[in-house]
Amino acid sequence: MKNTTLRTRCGALVLGLLATSIQADEDALMQALRDELARSVGELQMEEMDKPYFVAYTVRDMERYGAAASFGALLPSWETRSRRLSVEVRVGDASFDNTNFRSMSSFSSGFGGGRVLPLKDNTVEIRRQIWLATDAAYKEALQQLANKRAALQNETRTEDLADLAPQEPFTYTAEPSRNLPNLGDIEGLVRDLSGLFREMPQIADSQVSAAASYQRTYYVNNEGSSFIRNDPSASVVVRAQGQAEDGTILNDFLTENRLEWDEISDPDELAGAVKDMGKAIAERMGAPKLPDRYIGPVLFEGQAAAELFAQVLAHRFIGLRMPDTESQFSSFMGQGQNPFLDKLGGRVLPRFLSVKDDPTLTGEDFVGGYAVDDEGVPASATTLVENGILKTLLTSRNPVGDIEQSTGNRRGGGPAPSNLIVTARRGMTRDELADELKLLMDEREAEYGIVVRRLGSPLFRATTGSGISISFGGPQQQQSSVEPALLAYKVYPDGREELLRTAEFAGIADAVFKEIVAVSDSTTNHTFLYSPMSFSGLATIISFGGAGFASSLGQAVTV
């Protein structure tokens, strides 16, 4: 009993010393950020040049462990620790500043607003690096503002938008919650899981990777906002592929994303999923090849329905502002305009569907949640679609169109979704949806319909070769590419199913979703990596029973 008590007290002492050390580092870092912020706002000004009216500092302090293996053999593991500073400097004023502009010089110039900071509380060196980064960012901002004024002095702007939306100061501090596994535990898991593929002769290539990270994000700006936020993550990714006799590459993948390593599934459960994936690839190798084009009813189930939504519609809810440009870039930049900006107040989904983005939802099933976004704006739920009508888009503090305030979705370089919640006012049971599919088959006098249960991901592409091509209507320029199906079946009127080797999509237009026929009353939780140029991070689609749609070329129902 004495030994036990002594160990407990010693453990508490060690933990207490560790917490004190972390707190000292954080206090020193935040104080250095605040001191340099005050100096930059009060003293930073080149002669006869604009002073900064807005300065913000972000520090991302990350610790990350990871490992990978192939067929039971470990690949190089990684163990990293970094502390990186980014600086945002705005000159001019909120109505017109150096941001939201692109020119030839902006593409060729360097990015002076970032630095690697010391990992310990060396206040002098931290402040020196902050000053160097701020000085470089300020000079670059002055050049950007001069270029913007010169480019626009003889141009008529199509929209007279401010460059920075106002925001009330907000402060937030999360307690440290580092919870990382030993690197050996990660290596053991990937080695054991990848070793299962040695017993699968149908698998030509495979890899298992896993990683866990803990990041503390620090932010201050001169408006009075500041935060310290925890950004942990843990993941396991399994990829495998085989090749049919005719050369068709068949791939599949398994991903699990959580906030903490302790939330990752039990190794036995993961092993079972890996074995099932290997069997599925083998079965698809022997499935019939259907090279002819298919136009008719299609039923998307579970992961396929949510992944379809993620690939076609999720990015449409982003209010990404197109920057002003020099005249030679205007036509090029206009190609990236989101068509949903012109559909605010219009119908984009059937009247029984609604969509909400809610970063306030956190926990094991909501890995996209957070308390405060990267601009210090507190998280809040945003209704995007209500009864089929598009209400707003997800934005940062850069005003977009008629959306003048941030929705609190700045993540990385721009706005991004968090937890997308798709709900329906009425839903069908599985049997009712099967009957609906049969009805659509009868209406089109189709010999069979198609059920898609798993879709591929843009992160795990493979050359699939020719398969059945499913077409949906809509102008080609408004269509989104969709990854081939990983698990699809022909379904006959009597309920009989026939596995397909693969199914590819000719393209799906946004407008097709307005004609959704029915949705299920089931729930699917699907985590995906939303990764535009400005951000790469996890988002979640949840409470998504499915969506069915009809087009001029064919009809489809999803669950």
Side-chain angles (χ1 to χ4, degrees):
M1 180 63 69
K2 290 181 180 180
N3 289 337
T4 301
T5 302
L6 179 60
R7 287 173 183 168
T8 301
R9 289 177 178 172
C10 289
L13 176 61
V14 171
L15 290 175
L17 291 174
L18 177 61
T20 301
S21 176
I22 292 174
Q23 186 65 50
D25 285 349
E26 292 188 347
D27 289 345
L29 175 60
M30 288 298 285
Q31 189 59 51
L33 291 171
R34 295 183 190 280
D35 289 344
E36 286 303 310
L37 182 66
R39 182 167 72 160
S40 297
V41 173
E43 303 176 13
L44 186 59
Q45 183 178 19
M46 295 182 68
E47 187 175 356
E48 298 182 358
M49 294 291 183
D50 294 85
K51 292 185 61 175
Y53 81 92
F54 179 86
V55 180
Y57 296 139
T58 303
V59 175
R60 292 179 171 86
D61 192 330
M62 175 180 283
E63 188 176 0
R64 182 174 176 84
Y65 302 115
S70 181
F71 293 105
L74 280 175
L75 301 174
S77 303
W78 59 94
E79 183 176 354
T80 63
R81 171 77 192 282
S82 63
R83 179 182 279 182
R84 298 185 179 275
L85 165 74
S86 60
V87 178
E88 181 180 5
V89 175
R90 292 176 181 249
V91 292
D93 57 50
S95 64
F96 188 91
D97 64 25
N98 55 290
T99 65
N100 299 310
F101 177 73
R102 293 292 182 271
S103 65
M104 178 62 74
S105 60
S106 67
F107 285 103
S108 60
S109 64
F111 295 92
R115 284 290 191 279
V116 175
L117 296 183
L119 297 178
K120 297 299 182 181
D121 56 342
N122 184 337
T123 305
V124 174
E125 181 60 19
I126 289 175
R127 290 193 60 176
R128 190 177 77 88
Q129 293 297 331
I130 296 171
W131 179 85
L132 290 172
T134 307
D135 181 68
Y138 172 59
K139 291 174 181 175
E140 187 172 325
L142 288 174
Q143 185 62 54
Q144 290 170 344
L145 182 60
N147 293 341
K148 183 175 180 180
R149 285 171 173 165
L152 299 180
Q153 64 180 350
N154 297 319
E155 297 284 341
T156 301
R157 301 177 74 185
T158 56
E159 291 182 299
D160 189 17
L161 295 175
D163 283 322
L164 184 65
Q167 181 64 44
E168 290 294 321
F170 178 75
T171 59
Y172 169 80
T173 300
E175 292 296 323
S177 61
R178 181 186 181 280
N179 182 21
L180 290 174
N182 295 320
L183 183 58
D185 294 338
I186 301 178
E187 292 175 334
L189 178 65
V190 299
R191 183 178 55 243
D192 293 345
L193 291 180
S194 69
L196 298 173
F197 288 111
R198 290 185 299 200
E199 308 300 323
M200 304 179 192
Q202 74 275 18
I203 301 301
D205 188 25
S206 69
Q207 182 173 305
V208 180
S209 60
S213 67
Y214 175 65
Q215 177 174 288
R216 288 277 276 176
T217 302
Y218 305 84
Y219 176 87
V220 294
N221 70 26
N222 64 301
E223 295 176 331
S225 291
S226 66
F227 67 78
I228 304 177
R229 187 185 67 205
N230 293 320
D231 297 313
S233 68
S235 64
V236 174
V237 178
V238 183
R239 292 175 284 180
Q241 70 177 34
Q243 187 171 16
E245 291 184 359
D246 64 353
T248 302
I249 300 297
L250 301 175
N251 75 309
D252 206 342
F253 67 94
L254 165 69
T255 62
E256 185 166 342
N257 297 284
R258 295 287 185 260
L259 296 176
E260 304 285 353
W261 182 257
D262 293 345
E263 298 170 352
I264 294 291
S265 296
D266 181 88
D268 291 339
E269 186 177 342
L270 289 173
V274 169
K275 293 176 182 178
D276 290 343
M277 184 171 68
K279 292 177 183 177
I281 292 177
E283 291 173 355
R284 289 167 59 199
M285 288 180 177
K289 179 180 178 181
L290 297 174
D292 54 309
R293 191 181 187 202
Y294 174 84
I295 301 175
V298 180
L299 176 69
F300 290 88
E301 293 184 347
Q303 182 269 358
E307 183 64 32
L308 180 70
F309 186 93
Q311 292 184 29
V312 179
L313 278 189
H315 65 286
R316 295 302 192 200
F317 295 120
I318 303 304
L320 191 61
R321 177 171 172 173
M322 290 298 100
D324 293 319
T325 64
E326 293 178 332
S327 57
Q328 62 265 39
F329 289 103
S330 57
S331 60
F332 171 75
M333 296 303 295
Q335 296 175 5
Q337 186 71 32
N338 184 352
F340 270 26
L341 277 173
D342 297 326
K343 296 181 180 180
L344 292 172
R347 189 165 69 86
V348 296
L349 290 175
R351 293 181 175 85
F352 54 83
L353 279 183
S354 297
V355 182
K356 179 174 65 174
D357 182 86
D358 193 352
T360 66
L361 300 173
T362 58
E364 184 174 344
D365 292 330
F366 301 98
V367 297
Y370 51 86
V372 56
D373 81 347
D374 285 354
E375 291 181 306
V377 180
S380 62
T382 301
T383 297
L384 299 169
V385 179
E386 185 174 22
N387 298 326
I389 304 300
L390 182 64
K391 295 297 184 179
T392 191
L393 301 177
L394 302 176
T395 60
S396 65
R397 292 186 63 183
N398 285 343
V400 179
D402 294 330
I403 308 173
E404 299 180 353
Q405 292 296 127
S406 171
T407 59
N409 285 84
R410 171 73 176 267
R411 306 177 73 191
S418 59
N419 300 310
L420 290 172
I421 314 297
V422 184
T423 56
R425 283 190 283 118
R426 64 176 187 271
M428 293 184 176
T429 65
R430 188 180 184 87
D431 290 341
E432 290 172 335
L433 276 169
D435 291 340
E436 185 70 21
L437 180 63
K438 293 177 184 178
L439 178 62
L440 292 175
M441 292 164 56
D442 291 341
E443 289 178 353
R444 297 189 59 83
E445 298 182 352
E447 179 185 354
Y448 58 85
I450 300 292
V451 173
V452 181
R453 296 197 170 112
R454 275 182 55 77
L455 272 186
S457 165
L459 297 176
F460 311 109
R461 288 194 174 114
T463 304
T464 59
S466 60
I468 181 170
S469 178
I470 303 176
S471 296
F472 298 96
Q476 185 173 1
Q477 67 271 19
Q478 295 180 5
Q479 291 182 355
S480 298
S481 61
V482 175
E483 295 299 310
L486 301 180
L487 190 60
Y489 297 83
K490 291 170 63 175
V491 179
Y492 295 92
D494 62 1
R496 180 169 51 92
E497 295 186 352
E498 180 181 341
L499 179 65
L500 298 176
R501 181 180 299 181
T502 184
E504 300 173 9
F505 299 88
I508 297 180
D510 305 333
V512 170
F513 282 79
K514 292 193 296 184
E515 308 303 325
I516 286 173
V517 175
V519 298
S520 77
D521 58 4
S522 62
T523 296
T524 296
N525 185 317
H526 179 62
T527 299
F528 64 101
L529 184 69
Y530 181 81
S531 185
M533 292 179 62
S534 61
F535 170 73
S536 180
L538 295 174
T540 299
I541 294 178
I542 197 167
S543 299
F544 189 89
F549 50 88
S551 73
S552 60
L553 296 179
Q555 290 185 318
V557 123
T558 71
V559 54

